[in-house]
Amino acid sequence: MSSGPHPSAALHDLHDGRLDPAERARVEEHLLSCTRCQSELEALRALSGAARQLAGSAVPGDFEPLLRGALDTEDRHQAGVRRRRLVAASLLVVAAALVLWVLRAPARPDWAAIAVATAEQFERGQLLLDVAETSPDRLEAALRARGASVRVLDLGMMGLQLLGGSVREVEGRRVALIAYRDAQGRTLLCEMLPGAGIRLPRAADQRHQGTLVFHVYALRGRTAVFWHEGPVLCVLVGTGDAEAVVALAMAKAMVPEGAPREGRH
């Protein structure tokens, strides 16, 4: 290890390319035998690299010079302490970069909240149906013609009248919506959408039926039940008895493809 004076201030200038050739040669010669200054220069490089990762973020462009200036106010004779501060500062900048990346990454859609909000909009008359149709066959054909993956069930035996349906783009996915009304005038919405890559929020309750898993959410006086039918994610949203909504969703999921429409549950 070199026993000469440690050129701490010159290390910054070396890192930034501000030394004249003679001074640069002197500092580089010192670095060949001084592990302490080698470590300090490595810490500076780590700090600079971390700061560059924040380019284009909300961190001001003069962040790195300000940080260096603050570090330079430390006693230059306390090289060990100062070096540790540089390493710590580098780690803090990296952590800040990660936090900013997380904050700026697009949040995953909360499909339970979206489904309940859709039901509320429909009940308030803010969401109109594209197709007013009481025939399951004709409504299914109309929704499929609009590019939706959907099957429409006849729930008349359960006291539910088919009102019609729509196809909408939600969070980049084509969502089919089928609306029913019960004898008390309450609406029940069924939605179907491509389920690939969707991660549902943690459910308050889960039910199992065979290989199917039903995710049950309670939100603003409504019950939303999600389940997968192959590549399609289905959701049923209703008010009133939560257990009745869950039971209907489980019964609907068990109806095989191609079953006769009349009397389907």
Side-chain angles (χ1 to χ4, degrees):
M1 178 182 294
S2 172
S3 58
H6 300 286
S8 296
L11 290 178
H12 285 181
D13 294 332
L14 174 67
H15 174 268
D16 294 337
R18 295 196 298 262
L19 294 180
D20 60 47
E23 183 68 7
R24 178 185 179 91
R26 185 186 70 79
V27 174
E28 288 180 340
E29 183 179 1
H30 175 86
L31 284 168
L32 291 175
S33 58
C34 182
T35 56
R36 190 174 85 179
C37 288
Q38 290 170 9
S39 297
E40 186 168 341
L41 181 60
E42 288 173 3
L44 279 170
R45 287 169 175 165
L47 170 61
S48 179
R52 281 196 299 273
Q53 292 184 29
L54 294 176
S57 73
V59 175
D62 58 353
F63 172 76
E64 184 182 354
L66 287 174
L67 181 56
R68 286 184 178 181
L71 292 170
D72 281 339
T73 61
E74 298 292 330
D75 185 353
R76 296 184 184 277
H77 296 292
Q78 297 180 2
V81 173
R82 186 167 174 273
R83 187 165 58 252
R84 287 194 295 273
R85 288 179 182 272
L86 282 167
V87 174
S90 300
L91 295 175
L92 286 173
V93 174
V94 172
L98 291 173
V99 169
L100 285 172
W101 179 82
V102 170
L103 291 176
R104 300 171 86 188
R108 291 196 302 268
D110 185 339
W111 289 101
I114 291 172
V116 169
T118 299
E120 292 172 333
Q121 291 168 6
F122 180 72
E123 292 167 9
R124 291 194 297 261
Q126 297 171 333
L127 177 63
L128 302 179
L129 299 176
D130 296 336
V131 182
E133 178 58 70
T134 60
S135 166
D137 286 316
R138 290 195 292 268
L139 179 58
E140 183 172 305
L143 298 181
R144 287 183 178 273
R146 287 166 167 76
S149 298
V150 63
R151 60 174 181 157
V152 181
L153 303 184
D154 182 353
L155 303 178
M157 291 185 65
M158 301 189 70
L160 293 169
Q161 176 191 3
L162 180 62
L163 301 177
S166 293
V167 177
R168 306 184 301 139
E169 291 291 328
V170 180
E171 298 290 342
R173 297 174 188 261
R174 186 159 294 179
V175 180
L177 181 150
I178 304 105
Y180 300 86
R181 178 180 292 128
D182 66 12
Q184 287 75 43
R186 297 174 300 195
T187 57
L188 184 83
L189 294 188
C190 176
E191 294 186 75
M192 307 182 78
L193 63 148
I198 287 181
R199 293 181 61 184
L200 294 171
R202 183 182 297 275
D205 187 16
Q206 280 191 355
R207 309 290 178 89
H208 297 264
Q209 184 168 265
T211 59
L212 295 177
V213 180
F214 297 84
H215 306 267
V216 183
Y217 303 87
L219 186 62
R220 296 194 294 275
R222 290 165 178 80
T223 302
V225 185
F226 285 77
W227 71 98
H228 282 88
E229 293 184 4
V232 177
L233 179 64
C234 303
V235 55
L236 203 65
V237 183
T239 56
D241 185 359
E243 286 301 320
V245 178
V246 174
L248 180 57
M250 298 176 77
K252 180 182 183 299
M254 296 305 293
V255 176
E257 289 286 349
R261 292 185 182 278
E262 291 303 322
R264 283 200 210 179
H265 300 325

